[in-house]
Amino acid sequence: MGEWLSYGLSDLLLFSERVYWRLFVLENAALWPLPLVAPVVLAGIGVVLHARRPEAGLPLLLALLALAWLSTGWSFVWQRYATVNWAMAYLAPLFAGQAAILAWLALSGSRPPVAPQPRWLGHGLLLAGTAVYPFLAPVQGRMLAGAEVAGIAPDPTAVASLGAAFLIDGRGLRLAVLFLPALWLGQSALTLYVLNGPAALSPALALAAALAGAVLLPRR
Amino acid sequence: MMTGAAAICALPRAARAQDVTLRRIPSTGAQVPAVGLGSWITFNVGNDPVLLQDCTDVIAAFVEEGGGMIDSSPMYGSSQDTIGFGLRRLGHPETVFSTDKVWTNAPEDGPDQVAETRSAWGIERFDLLQVHNLVAWDAHLETLFAMKAEGRLGHVGLTTSHGRRHRLLERLMRDYPVDVVQLTYNIADREAENRLLPLAREKGIAVIANRPFRRGALPQALEGRPLPGEARELGVSAWPQLLLKFILSHPDITVAIPATTQVAHVRENKAAARGPLPDAAMRRRILAHFASL
């Protein structure tokens, strides 16, 4: 145990920053035009429909997110990321777990309770994951072809899921939806911190916002 | 792949003529070029076709420059597959000294892992297999010694890195007839000089120096800093070459295995083994200069 503690974070990373960002280029190319469609659908359902008809919009959003976790876990984490990071083979099943939680909430007979106003944190995180995240690539000096897109890449999918969690009423249900996305974003922030310090800011900020919301927003 | 004591015979005449710093593995007499090629991080590129081709170019340049030890491990993600991809593309050059490791806590999994590693490289026999970080060392050593006795392996080795587990490594070097040990040695990490390197000399064990650049951190930290006066005498104009020459000039270091993703760096690293190396007095002055920075 003592020996493991003597390793730095950088000693535990097996791949380079270049390899990491190339994963998104390859994934987007392989799934094209899904990377264009998925975030638009998620943002449209999530914000527009939910804002107008929250009771109907929330189950649809959760069902789409369940699909997103399933496909991201299988296609990106298991088939692509795990080829350069064997630890991902152990995390990929968690994506199926998160998909199951979301699907259960979306498809179970009783509709998930919609959080009362204000829902700005939920909508904000949802938009951050779907509409803002893809443009981090050019901001960080990478090609748009390697953009991280909700429904395809895990980080924006997790950020959008944090948003969905804050659209659900009830502390227990909210935490159930929050837990795995928060865990993922935590490891992602650490990974990006080692690979390229500033890039860690996005998952770290989303995680911080969600944790603050979980603590500060009214509980029921 | 080179095999045992016949290794030098497998080297093309041109390589023998160019590389004046072939090093000998005492236990078998096999000779290998002083600068090898590591694969930690640099060759872990998954199935990215662009990066696989880049790595193949690096291996091709390494072979052009005389070849030698290419080192990997099951721990290094897809690095073994990348090496296999490159070697197949290059027609399995004879000047590659195939070097890999066993890395599993489950002793019974060792033979299967070796088989998988062989398959990833696309070869029948390794020139050197090592017990990675001394994990489950007793069972894996037994497996590797048996393979060597049956002629299915050229050399048996043990590895550590980052200066860890030196006490256990020392004990194993005393108790087992290993051919090679791999440890971290560079201008900033010289703990091995105290006991392990003298012991290696005494026992006739070859030494591979890993992390020669501390994964790039040393050249990065030294960039822009003045080279010592000795650099001119050694025909060196950049820190990485001087750092390598420093390592290779230690009389008990056999091979250094810098890893890189760039063809130009492979050629620079290989060039470091040619030409003069610092003598003991120069080494002291280089160390003093390094300490003053």
Side-chain angles (χ1 to χ4, degrees):
Chain A
M1 184 65 182
E3 186 177 305
W4 277 105
L5 291 176
S6 68
Y7 283 90
L9 275 176
S10 62
D11 296 326
L12 302 176
L13 267 197
L14 309 172
F15 51 90
S16 67
E17 185 189 357
R18 183 189 180 205
V19 166
Y20 182 73
W21 296 128
R22 283 276 306 167
L23 295 175
F24 300 101
V25 175
L26 295 174
E27 186 72 354
N28 289 339
L31 298 179
W32 189 259
L34 213 54
L36 203 60
V37 177
V40 173
V41 171
L42 278 171
I45 299 289
V47 179
V48 179
L49 183 59
H50 184 266
R52 293 189 174 195
R53 295 180 55 201
E55 301 296 337
L58 187 56
L60 193 53
L61 173 66
L62 295 176
L64 284 171
L65 281 172
L67 207 59
W69 276 83
L70 209 56
S71 67
T72 303
W74 167 251
S75 181
F76 184 84
V77 180
W78 178 263
Q79 293 205 303
R80 206 170 290 283
Y81 197 4
T83 63
V84 296
N85 185 357
W86 48 261
M88 287 302 125
Y90 298 96
L91 292 188
L94 299 181
F95 280 66
Q98 179 70 11
I101 292 170
L102 291 165
W104 174 74
L105 277 171
L107 305 174
S108 65
S110 56
R111 285 185 166 181
V114 178
Q117 296 282 10
R119 294 192 282 263
W120 55 268
L121 182 59
H123 287 154
L125 284 167
L126 203 51
L127 277 175
T130 53
V132 176
Y133 234 90
F135 296 102
L136 292 177
V139 169
Q140 292 167 353
R142 294 180 282 120
M143 291 183 305
L144 203 54
E148 292 172 88
V149 172
I152 309 293
D155 284 16
T157 304
V159 173
S161 300
L162 294 182
F166 284 101
L167 299 178
I168 300 171
D169 198 21
R171 191 158 185 261
L173 288 179
R174 181 177 290 175
L175 288 179
V177 174
L178 269 178
F179 183 71
L180 286 177
L183 197 69
W184 175 267
L185 288 171
Q187 75 78 33
S188 191
L190 283 175
T191 301
L192 288 169
Y193 174 74
V194 175
L195 288 177
N196 163 7
L201 210 56
S202 348
L205 278 177
L207 179 60
L211 293 178
V215 173
L216 299 175
L217 284 183
R219 299 172 187 181
R220 286 178 55 183
Chain B
M1 304 296 139
M2 290 194 283
T3 52
I8 183 62
C9 304
L11 284 171
R13 189 177 299 278
R16 270 181 279 166
Q18 286 169 10
D19 197 339
V20 294
T21 57
L22 285 172
R23 302 293 176 88
R24 187 172 162 275
I25 297 177
S27 59
T28 62
Q31 288 188 281
V32 288
V35 175
L37 184 63
S39 63
W40 166 244
I41 293 182
T42 51
F43 281 6
N44 183 18
V45 299
N47 46 22
D48 187 322
V50 173
L51 301 185
L52 280 170
Q53 185 53 50
D54 286 354
C55 293
T56 301
D57 293 344
V58 165
I59 296 172
F62 179 74
V63 170
E64 274 174 32
E65 296 285 335
M69 188 175 282
I70 298 182
D71 177 73
S72 193
S73 167
M75 184 199 174
Y76 298 174
S78 67
S79 293
Q80 295 175 322
D81 294 320
T82 302
I83 292 168
F85 177 90
L87 293 180
R88 275 186 282 272
R89 283 284 176 95
L90 299 171
H92 284 282
E94 288 184 349
T95 52
V96 170
F97 189 95
S98 52
T99 301
D100 214 297
K101 306 186 186 83
V102 186
W103 178 67
T104 168
N105 278 313
E108 66 276 13
D109 291 346
D112 286 345
Q113 190 179 69
V114 169
E116 284 169 19
T117 297
R118 236 181 359 235
S119 167
W121 280 63
I123 61 174
E124 288 300 313
R125 180 183 186 275
F126 274 99
D127 293 303
L128 167 61
L129 282 174
Q130 308 150 98
V131 181
H132 190 140
N133 281 349
L134 309 181
V135 170
W137 58 268
D138 42 357
H140 294 324
L141 271 185
E142 194 178 323
T143 301
L144 298 184
F145 281 130
M147 286 177 65
K148 187 184 172 192
E150 292 162 8
R152 294 189 291 126
L153 173 63
H155 301 82
V156 175
L158 299 165
T159 81
T160 70
S161 68
H162 301 71
R164 295 182 174 93
R165 309 191 82 178
H166 277 191
R167 194 163 293 183
L168 174 58
L169 179 62
E170 182 180 342
R171 178 162 75 79
L172 299 182
M173 287 168 72
R174 289 189 190 282
D175 294 349
Y176 291 87
V178 292
D179 304 296
V180 177
V181 292
Q182 183 179 144
L183 46 79
T184 295
Y185 181 76
N186 58 55
I187 199 167
D189 298 299
R190 295 168 37 245
E191 189 197 327
E193 287 178 354
N194 299 331
R195 298 173 67 89
L196 295 177
L197 295 184
L199 179 61
R201 187 189 324 146
E202 177 195 327
K203 303 286 284 184
I205 298 172
V207 179
I208 303 170
N210 63 31
R211 292 175 59 83
F213 299 140
R214 271 193 176 178
R215 212 185 118 192
L218 278 173
Q220 200 176 351
L222 292 166
E223 197 177 344
R225 304 292 183 94
L227 284 159
E230 287 69 25
R232 185 187 294 264
E233 287 178 63
L234 296 168
V236 163
S237 57
W239 273 107
Q241 280 198 334
L242 186 71
L243 294 172
L244 268 183
K245 277 186 181 287
F246 178 85
I247 294 167
L248 296 174
S249 66
H250 193 289
D252 301 321
I253 294 289
T254 313
V255 177
I257 48 168
T260 179
T261 56
Q262 295 185 40
V263 166
H265 289 171
V266 172
R267 298 196 191 283
E268 287 167 16
N269 293 342
K270 279 294 202 180
R274 303 185 189 112
L277 293 175
D279 59 23
M282 289 170 91
R283 280 176 61 88
R284 281 194 294 275
R285 291 198 295 273
I286 291 169
L287 274 174
H289 179 78
F290 175 73
S292 72
L293 294 175

